[in-house]
Every structure is written in structure tokens, then in C-alpha cells.
Amino acid sequence: MPGGHAQTLRPFMWRAERLYPDTEIVSRTHEGRTRHTYAEYADRTARLANALDAHGIERDDRVATFCWNHTRHFETYFGVPNTGAQLHTINPLLPDEHIRYIVDDADDEIVFVDPSLAEKIAGAAEGAAEFEGVDFVAMGSSEIDALDAPAYEEFIADRSTEYDWPDLDGDQPAGLCYTSGTTGKPKGVEYTQSMLWSHTMASQTPQGIPMEDSDVVMPVVPMFHVNAWGMPFTATAAGAKHVYPGPSPDPADLAALIEEEGVTVSAGVPTVWLGLREYVEGGNEVDLSTLDTVIIGGAAAPRALIEWYDERDVEVLHAWGMTELSPIGTVSHLKHDLRETDYETQVKKRSKQGLVAPGLEFEVIDEDGEEVPWNGDDFGELRIRGPWVTKEYFKRPEANEAEFVDGWLKTGDVVTVDEDGYIQLVDRTKDVIKSGGEWISSVELENAIIAYDGVSEAAVVGVSHERWQERPVAFVVVTDGVDREELVERIETGLREEYPEWWVPDAVEFIDEVPKTATGKFSKKDLREQHGDQSLVEGAVPEADAPEEE
Ligand code: AMP
């Protein structure tokens, strides 16, 4: 519905600029802490839009970012989609091969790159046909010679602070994010204007992750991950103050921002909040008194973590989501009648992934194709649909066939639903490992390991880990006469060259045979039961203590 009546992002920025011109957007950057008001933000965003036009970017073109969380990145959040172009946030933690693939698949015209990530993208782009014709802009005040990238400040300098933002249709593609959540090549998920609008509006309901104009919102979850769970949009819709933690923030950086900027709402994967807990427990005094709510998602929030923050009067909201869901699916709010129950009952509920967000529908289907009863015991695969759930993958018809059924997205997550409607993750049908909130493809590692001389079978499984939630362990069957020590060294060195350091398995173990299912596939479940000796990995959680969810 064109003519300014459609569900688009434009009104959120328009309103924040008009109602809250003096509210701040603060950012830790490689050049120090920066401060802008919404009024300045709107001017800079218009300058960016004009600069993109001058560069030749047109409606439907894709503009990519390769950045941490900071104000300049936030400027692309409205500055790109509001022109009718599409913002493609690239995850810089991916292996080079994936980065080349997605830049090519998305057909990116231009990539905005952080200086601290320049070497990474230069490595991926070197000699790569996928990067031909792609221009770079350096996210800062200085250019990056190696990428022939002008400085962002130069790029937007001398541009007008007025921009005639077009009327867009709700179906206009606004964002793009790739997920490596299942095996094979990363899959693109396209966010339309109306998906982002409806996700923002649902987030703003009391059963979402609501924010007020008095809030100070710090998304620690990376802006390359499903729009930092939509928080930059939600915070703008609220007229809240934004705080961006910049490149690779450590617990001390987060603590300083919370204290000095008075952060009230923050969000990130469990590893972030475990890190802050460790920092405090290690003797560092941190004033958490302004912090009201911490949203933990992307991986299961351990119960002990929820309790630790409770003791400090910080409410943990456990949330579940997916790239395909823009991303929020469930939030573990307490239903009103449960607020009268004892703490034990409450914390058990809050440790579950939660109640479906208003606006979505779901069903849970068991192996016989039947819908499971809501009894907290019976489990099946979660299927979900709604206005901010993608209906298809970008350019991937074969993935559409596998992952959607009758309009429902098959999530690959196995769940129970209790009498109160709380969803709890108990397993995954997808063969992947999620470590510190980032995917590691076990199948890709297996294919890499099997290629080594002397290896006849290889299987990689995730072991529950206190800090990273999961870490990979490789189980290898060798041919006769192989020098095992030398093989492990070869594998580890080789994987380090091909993959990011954190993909390399924490242990390589030798077994006689990989257990198989009746159809001859690797049985990861049996493998874990037979050989998943937790002592293999430092920091692993013994099976008995592992969170039930995972
Ligand atoms: P992504 O698309 O990378 O955001 O990953 C989505 C997947 O992460 C989900 O399908 C789950 O397997 C997992 N996940 C997300 N949130 C949670 C959570 N709160 N608890 C357990 N797993 C989660």
C-alpha cells in the first residue's frame, strides 16, 4: 500500500527525530566514545542516503555492512532501507569461504567495513571473483588503503541533510541476513519493510521486549545478527537513548558503559552475561543499579545465570528466536497468575524459552505427524508462522521445499509446551553446533577432516560447555598404521588455516567406529552417549548438570 500508508520503518525515525531531538545515541568506537542526538542522527542519515544516491545506489540494490555495533552502523539501519535499497549485514566471524559466497549471492554493490575488520575482509576478497565490482567504505574518519576505501566521514561529507524519503510498499525488501543454522551453504533471509515494522510493533507490546522513552538501550548482540534482534528499531520507535558497545567489547567495556551511560535494557547471548558475571565475581565492582532488564537469547540461558542477575535486581528475560523470524519468537514473561507462585516455580518457567510473542502462531508436530499435547513432556518439532516470519529463503527454492510446510516454517528445534503454554527447547533436528551464539557446521568440519590421509570416518558433535554453551569435539576413525599424534597436528593446523580459530574442535578423539542409525547415517546421539566424555573439553558441563534445554 503505497502513499505513506504502508507498514514501513520511516515513521519510527520521523517520530524520534520530531519528539526526541535531544535524546542521545552514544557509541564506543575505535576513535573513542561518540555522542549524537536524534536530530544529528537524522541529519547524518540523510547525508548517508544522499551519498548512496550519488554513488549510484538505486532502489532494490544491496548495500552491505561488515561492522560491529556503533552509531555509523546504526545510520545504515534507517539510511539504507528508507531509500528503498536493502541492507545486508554480513557476519564477520564467518569463514572466508562463506563470506565470499554470501557477497556473491547477495550481489552486494558496496560494503561498509570497520577498520578492525579490514584485514578479515581483505583476506576473503583477495583474488576472489565474488568481490569483483564491489566498492568499500571505511567506517571511520580515515580511509583504508588496502581496500581502496574512502573514509565514511568523507563519503557523507558535503551531502545535504535533507532527503526526500520515498513512499515505499510494505513488500519492499529492506534487510538481508544469512543464517548458517543448518547444513550446507548459508541461506539468505530477506526482511521486508512490513516484516521489520510488525516485528518492531510486536516487540513494543508488554509481552515482547518493550522499551520506553526513558530507557537507555544497549544492544550487545551484534548488529550483524538479525539486526541486533531488532533493538535499534525498537529503541527508536520508543524514542529511547541508544548505547552501542563498539568493536569486540569485553566485560570491562560493558561495565563502563552500563555505569557511565546508565543503561537500563541490554541484550546478548548467554556468553556475554556469563562474562560480566565472571568479571564481577573476579572482584571488580560494577554498579548494576540502573540495569532493569537483560534479554538473553540465541542459546539457552542457564538457570544459575538468571538467578545471579535476580539477586542483583536485574530481570532476565529469556527469549528464543531465529534469523528467519526477524528474530523474536518467544519471550519468557511470567503470566500474571504465576507471579503469585513461589520463586522455584517462577524461575523454572523463566528458564524455559517462553511464551509465543503476540502476533505469531505455532504448532508442535511429533514424528507421526501429530500435534503434541501441551503437557510439558511430549515433544516434537516447532513450526511457526506470522507477519515477521520469512515465507521463503533468498534464491533457494530447494531450501524452501525442505524448511516450509503449508505456510509454516519448520524451525528444526524440538520442543515441549507445558500447560501454561511455555515452550521449552529439548533438542534440535538440525545437525549444528552453536558456540557462544555462533554457528559451527559439524558437517562442514566432518567433510574437511575426512579429507586428511589416514582418516576413514569423522564425526563432529557439540559438548555442553559452561562458557560457550557448546564446543565441538571430533571423533575420528583411522586407517591402520597411522601416527595419531602427527594426524591430530595435521588436522588442527589444516583446520586453523581454513576456518576461524573458534571452529577448531577442542579435542580430536579416536574411536573404532562411528555408531550408525538403521539407515546407515551417523548417530550423533549414540556417539555422544558412548564417547562424549566431558573431561575431553576444558569447561565442559558434565552431562548430569547440562541444561535440560539443550
Ligand atoms: P539464528 O538463526 O542464528 O539466530 O539461530 C536460531 C537458533 O538458535 C534457534 O533455531 C535455536 O536452535 C537457537 N536458539 C535461539 N534462541 C535460543 C534459546 N533461547 N535457547 C536455546 N536455543 C536458542
Side-chain angles (χ1 to χ4, degrees), residues 91 177-182 189 191 225-226 229 269-270 296-301 318-325 327 330 351-354 382 411-414 424-430 432 434 437-439 470 549-550:
N91 181 344
C177 185
Y178 281 74
T179 174
S180 311
T182 42
V189 176
Y191 305 118
H225 256 318
V226 208
W229 299 345
V269 293
I296 304 187
H318 187 193
W320 166 91
M322 292 177 77
T323 305
E324 290 84 338
L325 268 77
T330 69
S351 303
K352 297 190 178 195
Q353 277 65 21
L382 177 65
T411 65
D413 287 327
V414 177
Q424 179 168 27
L425 242 93
V426 292
D427 202 358
R428 293 199 199 109
T429 59
K430 42 199 181 197
V432 282
K434 206 172 195 196
E438 299 288 336
W439 293 113
E470 283 178 31
E549 294 87 350
E550 291 285 287

Side-chain angles (χ1 to χ4, degrees), residues 248-453:
S248 320
D250 62 22
D253 298 319
L254 298 180
L257 288 167
I258 292 169
E259 287 181 339
E260 292 161 23
E261 301 298 339
V263 171
T264 60
V265 181
S266 190
V269 293
T271 305
V272 167
W273 305 109
L274 286 161
L276 188 64
R277 179 180 77 174
E278 244 172 58
Y279 180 73
V280 172
E281 296 285 305
N284 297 290
E285 273 210 23
V286 182
D287 179 5
L288 296 175
S289 61
T290 59
L291 197 57
D292 294 326
T293 311
V294 157
I295 298 136
I296 304 187
R303 177 184 161 152
L305 191 65
I306 298 177
E307 289 173 338
W308 190 87
Y309 282 94
D310 274 349
E311 282 160 22
R312 279 147 194 89
D313 221 10
V314 178
E315 185 195 14
V316 168
L317 279 181
H318 187 193
W320 166 91
M322 292 177 77
T323 305
E324 290 84 338
L325 268 77
S326 313
I328 293 175
T330 69
V331 187
S332 214
H333 285 282
L334 272 184
K335 281 173 130 177
H336 70 96
D337 48 350
L338 290 166
R339 287 184 211 140
E340 310 306 320
T341 57
D342 56 285
Y343 182 71
E344 177 64 20
T345 309
Q346 293 190 6
V347 85
K348 269 193 181 154
K349 293 286 186 193
R350 291 170 53 217
S351 303
K352 297 190 178 195
Q353 277 65 21
L355 301 171
V356 68
L360 298 178
E361 292 171 290
F362 73 90
E363 58 181 23
V364 180
I365 304 294
D366 69 14
E367 283 182 344
D368 301 324
E370 301 294 328
E371 212 175 326
V372 304
W374 289 17
N375 58 15
D377 283 324
D378 288 312
F379 55 83
E381 188 185 16
L382 177 65
R383 296 176 179 179
I384 203 150
R385 67 183 178 196
W388 58 92
V389 180
T390 194
K391 293 183 198 66
E392 58 186 0
Y393 289 104
F394 184 65
K395 298 187 190 167
R396 292 288 292 278
E398 87 296 350
N400 291 342
E401 238 162 77
E403 318 239 359
F404 295 88
V405 60
D406 301 333
W408 297 94
L409 168 74
K410 292 161 72 185
T411 65
D413 287 327
V414 177
V415 305
T416 60
V417 189
D418 69 19
E419 297 76 1
D420 293 305
Y422 285 81
I423 293 175
Q424 179 168 27
L425 242 93
V426 292
D427 202 358
R428 293 199 199 109
T429 59
K430 42 199 181 197
D431 184 11
V432 282
I433 297 161
K434 206 172 195 196
S435 188
E438 299 288 336
W439 293 113
I440 296 173
S441 165
S442 34
V443 172
E444 213 172 313
L445 286 178
E446 285 160 10
N447 289 341
I449 295 171
I450 195 88
Y452 286 84
D453 276 348

